[in-house]
Amino acid sequence: MITISILGAGKVAHHLILNILEQDNLTLQQVYARSKNKVNDLVSENQIITDINLLKPADIFIIAVSDDAIAEVSNAIPFDNAFVVHTSGTQSMDIIQRTNRKGVLYMLQTFSYDKEVDFSKMPFCLEAAKPTDFKLLDKIAICFSEKVYKISSEQRKVIHLAAVFVNNFTNHLCTLAEDICKKNSVPFDILKPLIAETAEKLQVLSPKEAQTGPAARKDIGTIDSHLQMLEGTNEKEIYQLITNSILNR
């Protein structure tokens, strides 16, 4: 049985806790949170601590906090030579402080509190300073998913950058599309089958092969019409920038 303590109470920590509790080979030892309110509906009260000095020894400590807080939290862990990993997509494992063994458990997915995530289909990107610690990290990851990868810090940064394009930017574009719909009394739901097909198509075609639309067709008349409709808005600049990027390819 592998004992795990989670340090953090955000979205990543929330989903990690839920999935650890479902595993027969993993035991959730403690959850460190600044406020018990964020996790008291997930675990029993005696598993939650708000004072990091009350941490008990565990096989692994997973820091699931914002990038800016990783160093501070890791430095406060009251142990030496413990195995400590973070879940950041961009930070090096060397950001972990003190004389503890270091690693990374990066889950390539978008997390929201109110949306369940299928861990079995999620890529886990692993890194550890010591081979024995990597084996432990790998053993934990394969409890959740078959998609487990040994990824360096530099590779992880590239993956995270690409992920921002395909997820964060795409979601923002959907937000802008929803705004356009609302301003014109059109239900955003009408676009959802198109959104689903866009993602589905990328499972069988490359993004280049899947590209459609007025820019791909070089339909200048339609592009000009759209730009006129967007006159005086921030969306116009975004539309023009992305259209030019497609045209230039």
Side-chain angles (χ1 to χ4, degrees), residues 19-35:
N19 281 272
I20 289 170
L21 292 173
E22 293 180 354
Q23 304 302 318
D24 294 332
N25 299 329
L26 307 178
T27 297
L28 183 65
Q29 177 111 302
Q30 290 175 300
V31 177
Y32 164 68
R34 291 180 179 176
S35 171

Side-chain angles (χ1 to χ4, degrees), residues 99-224:
T99 56
N100 283 314
R101 290 138 45 213
K102 305 173 182 182
V104 178
L105 177 72
Y106 173 53
M107 296 168 291
L108 183 54
Q109 189 53 273
T110 175
F111 296 98
S112 298
Y113 287 117
D114 298 325
K115 174 67 170 64
E116 187 176 336
V117 180
D118 186 352
F119 268 43
S120 69
K121 298 179 181 178
M122 187 189 307
F124 279 71
C125 302
L126 312 183
E127 185 178 9
K130 295 186 175 182
T132 52
D133 289 333
F134 183 88
K135 287 182 180 179
L136 175 60
L137 204 53
D138 183 66
K139 190 174 181 180
I140 293 169
I142 60 177
C143 289
F144 300 121
S145 173
E146 295 180 358
K147 298 180 182 293
V148 179
Y149 303 88
K150 185 176 184 179
I151 299 292
S152 70
S153 289
E154 288 306 312
Q155 288 173 318
R156 183 162 34 84
K157 288 180 182 179
V158 171
I159 292 169
H160 190 266
L161 172 60
V164 167
F165 275 88
V166 300
N167 176 251
N168 305 142
F169 289 171
T170 301
N171 191 79
H172 181 64
L173 291 176
C174 288
T175 302
L176 299 182
E178 185 178 38
D179 290 344
I180 291 170
C181 287
K182 285 181 178 178
K183 289 175 184 176
N184 293 276
S185 301
V186 175
F188 180 68
D189 281 357
I190 203 168
L191 294 176
K192 289 183 178 178
L194 177 61
I195 295 170
E197 176 61 21
T198 301
E200 181 100 7
K201 193 187 293 186
L202 293 177
Q203 303 300 316
V204 295
L205 298 176
S206 72
K208 183 178 180 181
E209 291 171 327
Q211 186 69 60
T212 61
R217 297 190 301 268
K218 295 183 171 57
D219 191 345
I220 305 303
T222 299
I223 292 170
D224 287 342

Side-chain angles (χ1 to χ4, degrees), residues 223 227 235-245 247:
I223 292 170
L227 290 171
E235 287 87 343
K236 179 179 180 178
E237 183 178 351
I238 295 172
Y239 184 104
Q240 186 74 74
L241 184 67
I242 295 177
T243 294
N244 288 341
S245 180
L247 288 170

Side-chain angles (χ1 to χ4, degrees), residues 29-73:
Q29 177 111 302
Q30 290 175 300
V31 177
Y32 164 68
R34 291 180 179 176
S35 171
K36 287 188 176 183
N37 294 335
K38 282 194 171 184
V39 291
N40 61 6
D41 60 334
L42 302 178
V43 296
S44 61
E45 188 172 349
N46 62 0
Q47 288 178 290
I48 308 169
I49 58 171
T50 55
D51 181 354
I52 200 167
N53 290 303
L54 297 178
L55 277 175
K56 300 174 183 177
D59 292 319
I60 184 170
F61 297 88
I62 302 177
I63 299 176
V65 298
S66 66
D67 288 1
D68 291 342
I70 294 172
E72 178 186 353
V73 172

